[in-house]
DNA sequence: ATGTGAAGTGAGTAATCACTCACTTTTATC
DNA sequence: GATAAAAGTGAGTGATTACTCACTTCACAT
């Protein structure tokens, strides 16, 4: 029963394993690079500034990464895998079918879970969204790792709930698009205006409103 | 009755007026810059490449624009104004109240109108979204021109319809966030996968599904 | 026709870029 | 503790960058 969760954790830990083999200085480099890439963008970030902020010589960067772009990939690629990690477990839908009886409950759980992931890795997610459009190889990775996985795995779940009449008769790709864009909108606005102190931003209310909005938009209208 | 539309057109034409005073070569520069900024990003675009693609000497660029960033601003700023142009007409809400009796009709019209605008200026919109996060002065412009205008003008309309019980009891900022994020999701996915020939992308169906999704998510649920 | 300011040019400049390499220091194995 | 491999260094490299400037060409009012 708990097996799939273990498998998912294995996926996550395997990636952290790569980090555990890192030197202290290499970790500093990755952290500095992630911070500067997020703040200035990949093209505007210079290796000399990264080295300076990491407290290492510029040559040290190229001891671990062949090119600046290699450094970018080593930062972005892992979060792509971890972003879809919950979806790649075996029989994704069937497993959760037992835990969550209603589509509402199920979708809420998935959404809450991924919202928290997005917020925890906000700066790297920002780098990903910013740079994917400009790097064909990153686009390909995104297509194969994220899109293909999420679409195929979610399709099964969506199809089942739709067959049960709990979901509107829309293509699953459409349903996923509407869901994801609403979530990204919430996360983006939150990261912009949610951290200001003056903010009239009730985070819990906004999150609930967003999830409710998605549910109302996707559910079959109750008959009058 | 038609006056506000004239006023809105005036806003748009005033900006085109600036273009009409341009030299042929200056137009070429702006077009080349817009294309290259969209394709490679602002930081990765070089003035020499822009000059080459525009068929002018590199010095000519700096005859018209003091810096590379000035060139960026001259491209992005006008579409910000035009993006909110329909909202800045006098008594935005009251005027349309007469034309569209239901909130549904009204919101559909506004959404359809702005979707078409976004698609017509897709490449510049892309530049805007890409570069606003990295340039504090662009952020400020976006805040003052786009956000403030849309929020304040839409608030009036939203408040009225909500008072009539046709809209859920949510902050108008939330309603606008949910609406805009759904639209941007539609436009983004369409621009990525909608132009492929193989595409299983039924544009009209996707657009209708998106608008319906927004409506269902915002409307007060009909009593059983 | 002529004078004048704007438009256009392209070689030139200092700064910065990503990356290399000969060298030193650290770490791990026996 | 000797040895070798890996990690770390920083001055140096050629290429590219945004931008300048002395100069030429053009458009147009008189």
């Amino acid at each position: 029963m708990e097996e799939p969760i273990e498998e998912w954790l294995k996926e996550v830990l395997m990636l952290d394993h790569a980090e555990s083999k890192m030197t202290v200085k290499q970790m500093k480099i990755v952290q500095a690079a992630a911070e500067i890439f997020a703040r200035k963008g990949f093209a505007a970030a210079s290796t000399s500034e990264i080295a300076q902020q990491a407290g290492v010589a510029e040559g040290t960067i190229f001891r671990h990464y062949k090119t600046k772009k290699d450094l970018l990939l080593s930062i972005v690629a892992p979060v792509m895998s971890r972003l879809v990690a919950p979806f790649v477990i075996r029989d994704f839908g069937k497993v959760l079918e037992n835990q969550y009886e209603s589509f509402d409950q199920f979708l809420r759980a998935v959404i809450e879970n991924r919202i928290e992931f997005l917020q925890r890795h906000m700066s790297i997610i920002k780098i990903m969204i910013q740079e994917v459009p400009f790097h064909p190889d990153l686009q390909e990775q995104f297509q194969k790792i994220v899109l293909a996985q999420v679409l195929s795995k979610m399709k099964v779940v969506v199809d089942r709930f739709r067959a049960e009449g709990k979901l509107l008769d829309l293509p699953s790709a459409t349903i996923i698009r509407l869901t994801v864009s609403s979530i990204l909108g919430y996360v983006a606005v939150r990261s912009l205006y949610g951290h200001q102190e003056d903010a009239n931003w009730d985070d819990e209310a906004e999150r609930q409103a967003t999830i409710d909005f998605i549910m109302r938009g996707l559910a079959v209208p109750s008959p009058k």
Side-chain angles (χ1 to χ4, degrees), chain A:
Chain A
M1 188 65 73
E2 296 282 331
E3 274 170 357
I5 292 176
E6 276 185 60
E7 208 167 325
W8 158 45
L9 279 174
K10 202 162 59 185
E11 192 84 19
V12 176
L13 292 176
M14 220 170 62
L15 294 155
D16 287 350
H17 187 57
E19 286 176 7
S20 72
K21 283 195 171 179
M22 278 187 183
T23 311
V24 176
K25 300 220 167 186
Q26 191 174 355
M27 271 300 301
K28 288 273 194 184
I29 289 169
V30 170
Q31 286 169 8
E35 198 275 319
I36 294 175
F37 285 163
R39 182 159 42 84
K40 310 179 75 172
F42 173 74
S46 74
T47 50
S48 73
E49 188 183 355
I50 294 170
Q52 194 180 337
Q53 180 160 323
V56 303
E58 203 172 345
T60 309
I61 294 176
F62 295 96
R63 179 87 23 200
H64 295 288
Y65 306 95
K66 282 197 297 187
T67 64
K68 192 175 89 165
K69 190 164 179 177
D70 259 30
L71 178 54
L72 172 69
L73 293 180
S74 80
I75 291 172
V76 170
V79 307
M80 280 200 194
S81 300
R82 294 177 62 174
L83 181 60
V84 299
F87 300 98
V88 300
I89 58 175
R90 226 195 304 271
D91 294 327
F92 168 63
K94 287 182 183 171
V95 168
L96 295 173
E97 180 178 23
N98 303 331
Q99 301 182 21
Y100 307 100
E101 51 188 28
S102 77
F103 177 70
D104 195 274
Q105 268 190 305
F106 162 74
L107 200 49
R108 264 174 214 274
V110 175
I111 289 175
E112 295 259 17
N113 178 277
R114 289 300 86 186
I115 282 179
E116 267 154 38
F117 178 88
L118 288 176
Q119 285 172 354
R120 253 202 324 277
H121 302 88
M122 197 55 204
S123 63
I124 299 181
I125 297 290
K126 187 185 171 192
I127 297 171
M128 195 181 91
I129 293 174
Q130 290 286 344
E131 300 304 331
V132 160
F134 297 134
H135 306 269
D137 46 351
L138 264 182
Q139 272 179 53
E140 200 180 341
Q141 273 197 50
F142 182 80
Q143 179 101 13
K144 291 189 174 169
I145 297 179
V146 181
L147 268 188
Q149 294 282 354
V150 173
L151 282 179
S152 71
K153 297 288 181 175
M154 281 298 286
K155 189 179 189 309
V156 179
V157 182
V158 165
D159 282 347
R160 183 156 47 77
F161 280 114
R162 190 173 39 211
E164 293 174 15
K166 293 172 179 170
L167 212 54
L168 277 182
D169 190 23
L170 291 171
S172 50
T174 304
I175 290 176
I176 294 164
R177 166 173 68 78
L178 294 167
T179 305
V180 170
S181 63
S182 298
I183 292 174
L184 284 181
Y186 159 74
V187 175
V189 173
R190 183 196 134 109
S191 78
L192 286 176
Y193 299 92
H195 282 298
Q196 295 172 5
E197 288 301 330
D198 70 303
N200 39 0
W201 174 268
D202 182 343
D203 190 50
E204 192 49 40
E206 292 292 338
R207 184 187 298 210
Q208 270 307 315
T210 305
I211 296 178
D212 289 345
F213 172 74
I214 297 170
M215 295 302 167
R216 237 177 290 114
L218 295 181
V220 171
S222 57
K224 289 188 184 181

